[in-house]
Structures are given as structure tokens and as C-alpha cells.
Amino acid sequence: MNVYVAKADSTAHSQEFDPLKLHHSVLSACYAVRAFEGEAHLTARHVCERVIRWVNTKTEITSADIRRVTTSFLRQYHPEAAYTYESYKEII
Amino acid sequence: MAKFDYDLIVIGSGAGGSIAAAIAAHNKKKVALIESNVLGGDSANFGDVPTQTLLNVARIYGEARGGDVFGIRSGMVGYNYPTIKAWKDRVVARVGESGSKRYYESLGVQVILGLAHFISPFEISVNRRHISAKEILVASGAEWTIPAIDGLQKLGYLTPRSALDLIRPPKSLFVIGGGSTGLELTRLFSTFGSKVYISEIAPRLLPREDQEVGELMSTVLSSRNGITPLVETRVTRITKDGLGRRVHYTQGQNEKSVRVDEVLVASGKTPRVDIGLENAGVTYSPRGIEVNDYLQTSVKHIYGAGDVLGGLGLTHVALMESRIAVHNILHKNKLKPDYTAVPRIAYLTPEVASAGYSEDDLIKRDMSYLKSMVPISIIGRSNITNQHDGFVKILVDKKSRRILGATIVAPNAGETIHELTLAIQHGLTVDAVANTLHAFPSWSEAVRIACAKI
Amino acid sequence: MNILTESPLYIIAFAGLLHASFQLGVGTLTLLSGHSLGSRRSFSRLMRLNLAYLAGASAVTLMLFASLSYIALFTVSAILPAAWVVVSFLNIAIGGSVIAFYYRRRKGTGLWIPRAMANYLQERTKKTKHSAEAFTLGAGSVLAEVPFLIAPLSIAILAVIAQPSHTGFQLGSFLLYCLIGLLPLMAIVAMVGAGHKISTIQHWREHNKLFLQYCSGGGLIILGVYVLVEKVLPGITL
């Protein structure tokens, strides 16, 4: 089942959820806190698996939902990366 | 002024949402009712109705088998479980979905089957369609909590919902959770021949009820063949043992294990709050959605009712909250739900029913009270029916003599308790009840005697 | 003139310190470093980007200070007392508004700038790959914060033009202000280069944001009052 991500501007079409984009963003968060490559990939994989399992229980979600759920799972594996991932939008 | 698709969206068609949708539609409002599973909600389809149906059959079977003492030859009494299950399914079909969708649509309620997810405070996404409403009622209910026990997920487990769909009772069963649901299912399966172990972390079964209730139930269950109550017990892990499972648990300092065919988890419910409440700005915790006295959430146009608020998880409470919530949505003068005299019933043998405060509640609140406790064995009905286990307990305010709480452990306690529920709700004194005629030989006589004793 | 004991240098240094306390540039650089680290860019690439950002911020700060001083020299010198009054009240007002609402009232270090601008800066920071882009970003972040920076900058400008024309003093003032004002950016570049984590930097910023906010706002008010007392009141003859 395809899950869609609704845009904040409801006049815009929602986009299909892209697990690769999520994987990349989690990976970036891990690298930003100087995690080792292997550790970062493993963390990203575990987190993405859990997020995808959650996403598959929905039909449409928002990007804020993805961010929140990803942060909560990432916190269990790498709290610093989770903090960075969560606070990216609140730095400026 | 913003234009909305509906006047009211109700999320959940169970006890917490159905009444509100019907009342709002009756008041000429444009209503949408969203249901992600089966119309009618948990109570009608997977909870009270099917459970009580099976328990009723178990009661009949149990009474028939115990007829020897009365001179009834019960040696040949048996059962066919698939037929019992089919009967249960027929009862659920009568109450559950089949009439509901047509009924709501006849009222003008649009029924949408799908998963609701908040996109913004006024907008909900269901089946990728965005709908908006001026007011929203969240009645998404709760689901059974699965504790983090090693091996549980891997080896599988039953919940009170899936246990009702078994085509035969398990040979042996380990129940995690000694509350009313766990005990009811223990009674059900033990009546049909299962060997049942029921574990509870608290020092007694039915930990929410008074201490005497838990102690009596432990004694009664222990005396029955096939039931082993385990209190102060924590399940640590579950491992595979042949075709079955080995449940490892600790009781005090001791670690023990037992081999069973199935494990049933009945250790409480978690509110279904994963519906994008953050996008709506609604405050909630793992215990449920936070509401004020008028059932409004932190976002004023969003209300909550039923199991999603946490609380006692009772169908009649959800129905009351649904009515109050829709009243507050439709009218300026808002009402508060009254939880003073909520009856709580566990359909065991004997039944356990209570209303109002428990003794623990009164002690915690530092309230001065008088107590009266009367065994049911002293009344005529007990002698007639040969049922002696049970008591009636009344708690009364010391000064005003108003009844604050009551517990009945007796056959038909679930009916008898309503007299005391009425008394608590309307602030009647214990003397008023004691001075009211109670028919002989009824179980209610014990209520009159208990009240008169204070 | 003894540059060590003349008060304008202290005013300029204090103004520079207040310039340093503003966070938009720091936040943008932190974000840039985070994105660079997250993209697994080489260390040299990371440092190039950060240094280019710093260079952009420095260049614009210097240019702003110098150009506004030059303009003020011809326009404001004649009405210096009135200018001191305006500037001191400007500092007090901006100081008060910094104390009231510099940071958004939620988690993180989000500032009270239009969200569209903040989103734009975040997007641009994410897409920055070349040194030239980083330089422009640094320059842009200083310009974006001019509504707040104008407070300490204006006092520093007046402090410079109030003194008799002395090239060495003027150049020294510009460099002193910029050096102090850009210290936080230099610190971030140094920390990132030394191997510190972005999360550590951001944690510190978040935990101390109220302290920075009150120091910054309070400092502006103190500077404004000082200028009022030191420069304006003595000129008022009863």
C-alpha cells in the first residue's frame, strides 16, 4: 500500500512517501554528529525499518509526523543524532 | 467565515462516538462518522457483547454440570465449541455492523470507512481525502497493551479480542493480567476444561477493587480445579517448549516456569492516540487525551470521549461521555460528566460489582467513613441456591451517613449493584436503603442487611 | 590621543560584543556545518565552506561599518548630539524588544524572524556546495540581521566619527569591532574544525539561549543608557 505525505499547503498534491529520502536524512543526522560510517548505516537501517512499519499502518501522514516518529525511534539508537535531526528546523 | 465540509466529524463508531453522531444528526447537523475497523466499535464486536455471550454459555454449562447436588443427572452434559462460537458470532452480527451503516445513513450521517489522521486542527485525512469540520469528536478507543516481555512477540500471544475467535479452548493457558477481563476469560476457558494460570503483578487479583474482593477471588479460584492464581508475579520471558510455550515468571525471590499451550495478554489498554493529534495541537500522554471538565481537549473545538481518554474503559462511561460531549458541542451551556457512581462489574462466579469509592480511595482522600460487611451466606437466597461465597460491603460517610461506595460479591451482583448506584448518585443515606423493603428471598436482601448493620 | 585610555574604544569593543551576541549568523553557520558534515564532505571542503562563510560575514560587517561611518561623517557629524540621543533610544528600544521576543517561545533556537525568511535561509544553507555560495550566505546572514545589528553598529559609528579624524584609529576601530563581533563565528569554525559535534554546539546554544537573550538585550539597554549619560546629558545645560 502506498502511503502519501500531505503538504502543509493543502492546495498542493501530496507526495508518495519515499523511504530512501528518509534513510538519507537519518544518515545525514548521524554523520552530522560524527558517527562512524558503519554505525550510521546500521542506525539508519534500523530506524527506517521501524518508521516504515509505522508508516505502513497509515494512508496519509504529514512530514511533521514522519519527523516526530523518526526522532522517537532514532533517540533509542543514537540520542545525539536524534537531537540533531529534531532540531534542524529550529536552529534559525 | 471559513467554510467547512461538515459541522461535526466523529472519529470512532464505538460507544464513545456513535451516540454523539446520532444526536448531532438528529439536531440537523451535517455529520461524518469515520471508522477504521468494524462499525459499532470494540465493545459490540470484540469486547463486552461477544465476551458476555460466551460467559453466559459457560455459566449455563457450569450450572448444568454442577446439578448433581440438586439431584439432576449431569453426567452426559457436554458442549460443542464451534457451535458456541457460531452462536457468539450470530449475537455479534445482530448487534454489530449489519444494522449500523444503514441506520446512520438513514439519520443523515455520512459513514466513512478508513483510518482518520489529523492534518491540521480542522482537517482530517481519511483514505487520502481531506475533510474539514467546525467541531471534531475523538472517540478512537483503546487497544490491548502488549508488555515488553522477551519472546512474547516472537512466539505469539492471544489478546481478549483474538481469544474469542478460537475454535476450541486451549488445553492450558497462561493469562497475564488479573483484572476483570483476565478473570472473565479465565472463568470462560476453565469452565470448558482449560488449565489456566492467571498472573497479576499486584498483591491481589482485581487490584482496583477492595482487598477483600481480591482475597475472596483468590480463595474461590484456588478451590476450583484447573485454575492457579499467581499474585505478586511478574512474567520475565517466554520460550518455546515443544509445540507450546514455557512461561518464566518471578514470584518474590523465586523464579519459576510453567508449560502452557497459549499465552493470553490482558494487562490493560492503551488509548489509540496515534492519529496525528500533534498536527491538531491536541495535548495527550500515553495515558490518553487530556480533556477539561467539559471533555474539551487543549484545542477548544476538539472534544474527546470514551476509552481514548484513559479512565475506566467502561462502555457505559463512554456512552455517557459521548452524550455529554455532543451536548457541549451543540449547546452553549456546557455539562460535566458525573463519575460519582460508575458501576463496575466483573462477570465471574460469583459476580463482582462495585460503585462509588473503594475503601482505598477513601483512605487516600483521608475521608472518615463507616464500613459494613455482610456475608451472603446469611440470607435465604444463598441457602436456596447453595451459593455461599460472597459478601456485601457498604462504605458510608461518617457524618452525613450518605453512601459513598459499595461492593457486592454475589450471584447477580451485576444487577443488584444498581440499587446502590442509584443511592450513591443521589446522595441517599444508608438508613434510607435499610428502611426500604427488599423482597424475600432475593439477593438484594443482603444489601438491606448490610445497610442496616451500620 | 591615547588610544588605550580613550573611551570610544571601549564603547566600540562593547558594541562589538553585543554584535557578537546575536545568533542568526551563528545559527546559519551551525546549520551549514551540520549539512556539510551530513553530506560527508571532505574536511578541507568543510573548512573551505566555513571559512568562506566567515569571510562573507566579515566582509559585509566591515563594509557596513565603514560605509555607514563614511555616510554618517558627512550627514550626521553636524548634528551629533541629536544623533547620540536617537541612537541611545534606539539601543534601549531594540534592547527591550530583544529581551521580549528574540527567540520563538518553543524548543530550539528559532528566532523571531519571518518564517518565510527562516525557511529560505535553511533551504539555501542546505544547497550550499561552493565557497562562493557560502561567502554569499555569510554576507546575507549579516544583512538579514541588520534590524538588530543597527543598534550596536550605530553607536560604534558615532563613537568613530565623534573623534578627530585619524586613519589609524578609524581602521583600528573597524577591525576591533569586526574581530569581537565575529568571535562566535570564529569559535564555531574552530570547534567544527577541531572535531566537535554539531549537537554539542547546538545543545550549548539551546541551554544558554535565555542567558544570551538577556545579556544581549540588557547590554543594549546598558549601552544606550551609558551613551545617554556620557554623551547627551552633559550637553544639556539647565
Side-chain angles (χ1 to χ4, degrees), chain A residues 4 6-7 10 14 54 57-62 64-65 68, chain B residues 115 117-119 123 125 127-130 274-276 278-279:
Chain A
Y4 289 81
K7 292 288 158 194
S10 57
S14 44
W54 174 81
T57 64
K58 308 286 177 189
T59 47
E60 191 172 25
I61 47 180
T62 64
D65 290 325
R68 194 187 70 251
Chain B
L115 202 60
H117 193 88
F118 277 95
I119 299 294
E123 228 179 336
S125 164
N127 301 330
R128 285 199 64 208
R129 187 183 142 207
H130 292 192
D274 186 18
I275 53 171
E278 297 83 356
N279 299 329

Side-chain angles (χ1 to χ4, degrees), chain B residues 73-384:
Chain B
R73 287 197 201 114
S74 50
M76 296 296 289
V77 172
Y79 66 88
N80 181 292
Y81 202 82
T83 309
I84 294 172
K85 184 181 172 301
W87 162 243
K88 181 264 297 177
D89 293 337
R90 210 153 59 236
V91 170
V92 169
R94 288 200 301 227
V95 176
E97 188 186 2
S98 60
S100 296
K101 189 169 182 182
R102 269 182 270 124
Y103 167 68
Y104 289 120
E105 282 169 358
S106 69
L107 282 178
V109 175
Q110 184 171 5
V111 175
I112 304 171
L113 295 175
L115 202 60
H117 193 88
F118 277 95
I119 299 294
S120 69
F122 289 95
E123 228 179 336
I124 288 170
S125 164
V126 56
N127 301 330
R128 285 199 64 208
R129 187 183 142 207
H130 292 192
I131 53 175
S132 60
K134 210 169 132 203
E135 312 272 357
I136 299 172
L137 174 63
V138 179
S140 49
E143 55 208 358
W144 289 100
T145 310
I146 307 304
I149 296 172
D150 205 18
L152 185 65
Q153 292 282 358
K154 192 175 160 198
L155 295 171
Y157 52 88
L158 296 171
T159 63
R161 175 172 164 165
S162 56
L164 303 177
D165 286 330
L166 291 173
I167 53 169
R168 71 178 81 85
K171 278 210 188 82
S172 54
L173 177 68
F174 195 100
V175 178
I176 301 173
S180 56
T181 307
L183 280 170
E184 284 176 353
L185 292 170
T186 297
R187 179 195 159 202
L188 171 67
F189 289 115
S190 66
T191 305
F192 291 119
S194 302
K195 169 124 184 71
V196 184
Y197 300 86
I198 174 159
S199 75
E200 168 59 46
I201 285 176
R204 59 179 188 259
L205 295 173
L206 293 173
R208 279 199 202 164
E209 304 300 335
D210 284 344
Q211 195 172 343
E212 297 91 342
V213 175
E215 285 167 2
L216 176 62
M217 290 320 298
S218 285
T219 311
V220 165
L221 290 175
S222 301
S223 66
R224 298 226 173 110
N225 284 338
I227 300 180
T228 309
L230 302 164
V231 294
E232 287 183 296
T233 298
R234 179 182 292 278
V235 175
T236 51
R237 67 186 195 282
I238 298 171
T239 53
K240 199 158 162 52
D241 188 335
L243 289 173
R245 294 145 177 82
R246 182 158 287 277
V247 178
H248 302 259
Y249 59 90
T250 51
Q251 223 177 3
Q253 303 287 354
N254 307 315
E255 178 153 338
K256 298 175 185 170
S257 70
V258 66
R259 191 194 173 281
V260 292
D261 291 318
E262 294 286 354
V263 173
L264 170 66
V265 178
S267 54
K269 281 186 155 184
T270 307
R272 281 194 198 100
V273 291
D274 186 18
I275 53 171
L277 291 170
E278 297 83 356
N279 299 329
V282 172
T283 317
Y284 70 93
S285 70
R287 282 196 304 274
I289 296 178
E290 291 170 16
V291 292
N292 63 12
D293 290 340
Y294 304 107
L295 301 177
Q296 277 172 311
T297 65
S298 53
V299 179
K300 289 299 163 223
H301 68 275
I302 299 177
Y303 290 74
D307 290 0
V308 75
L309 304 183
L312 296 165
L314 298 169
T315 302
H316 39 282
V317 171
L319 288 167
M320 171 184 64
E321 287 171 346
S322 188
R323 260 185 282 224
I324 302 259
V326 76
H327 172 94
N328 293 345
I329 287 169
L330 296 174
H331 301 99
K332 277 206 170 77
N333 62 319
K334 301 202 184 304
L335 301 175
K336 296 183 191 180
D338 184 359
Y339 299 107
T340 330
V342 172
R344 308 176 290 279
I345 304 165
Y347 290 91
L348 309 171
T349 310
E351 289 180 10
V352 176
S354 54
Y357 290 115
S358 65
E359 195 170 357
D360 288 341
D361 289 336
L362 295 178
I363 293 169
K364 265 187 231 156
R365 282 168 169 76
D366 219 11
M367 291 168 75
S368 50
Y369 63 93
L370 298 168
K371 178 172 90 174
S372 154
M373 207 159 116
V374 150
I376 59 164
S377 54
I378 63 169
I379 62 169
R381 195 85 206 160
S382 166
N383 188 24
I384 290 165

